[in-house]
Amino acid sequence: MRAFEVATSLPRAAEAAGLARAFTAKTLAAWGMADEVTDDILLACSELVTNAVEHGAGMVTLVLRHDGPLVELRVGDEGGGTPEAHPFGPRSVRSRGLAIVQALSAEWGWSPGEDGKSVWARFQVSS
């Protein structure tokens, strides 16, 4: 199977997560993804884009890659820092984003780059 990859740039604004979800939903539908997988990827997409807008800097990018049994979601920004999943309690209002991504994905991580960083999550899908 050949790999497919699409990318888009997003504004550093409150509407970025909604735009990212719409882009991702359209792409996953074109790739024929099942609803259960799509729901998990869309939630992770919202969390990663929101983190990039709130804690990152500069341009926000979204890349989706479908390669065989995996879909990779990658969100980049031009900021520094180390993304970390923080512990939270039942009354915590914030800091659940990366914990949610970790729970939904097969694996997640981040990669530093010359112009910032990318946080990625990989999802197991049927090939």
Side-chain angles (χ1 to χ4, degrees):
M1 172 181 211
R2 106 180 181 200
F4 298 94
E5 185 172 295
V6 296
T8 190
S9 296
L10 300 162
R12 288 191 45 74
E15 66 267 15
L19 294 169
R21 279 192 308 274
F23 176 82
T24 300
K26 184 176 178 179
T27 299
L28 295 176
W31 289 346
M33 292 296 131
D35 288 344
E36 311 81 56
V37 174
T38 297
D39 291 344
D40 288 349
I41 296 171
L42 290 174
L43 179 52
C45 177
S46 291
E47 295 298 336
L48 293 181
V49 170
T50 298
N51 282 353
V53 169
E54 289 185 1
H55 305 293
M59 173 89 60
V60 176
T61 57
L62 167 64
V63 179
L64 293 165
R65 180 176 173 81
H66 182 209
D67 193 358
L70 291 175
V71 167
E72 181 178 279
L73 164 69
R74 192 172 352 122
V75 177
D77 69 76
E78 297 173 350
T82 303
E84 296 179 46
H86 296 286
F88 61 89
R91 295 179 188 220
S92 298
V93 178
R94 301 186 50 82
S95 299
R96 296 176 186 234
L98 290 178
I100 291 169
V101 171
Q102 183 176 27
L104 295 174
S105 63
E107 63 180 328
W108 79 277
W110 71 281
S111 305
E114 274 185 35
D115 298 325
K117 66 185 169 304
S118 292
V119 182
W120 51 266
R122 294 185 183 119
F123 299 84
Q124 191 74 39
V125 298
S126 2
S127 51

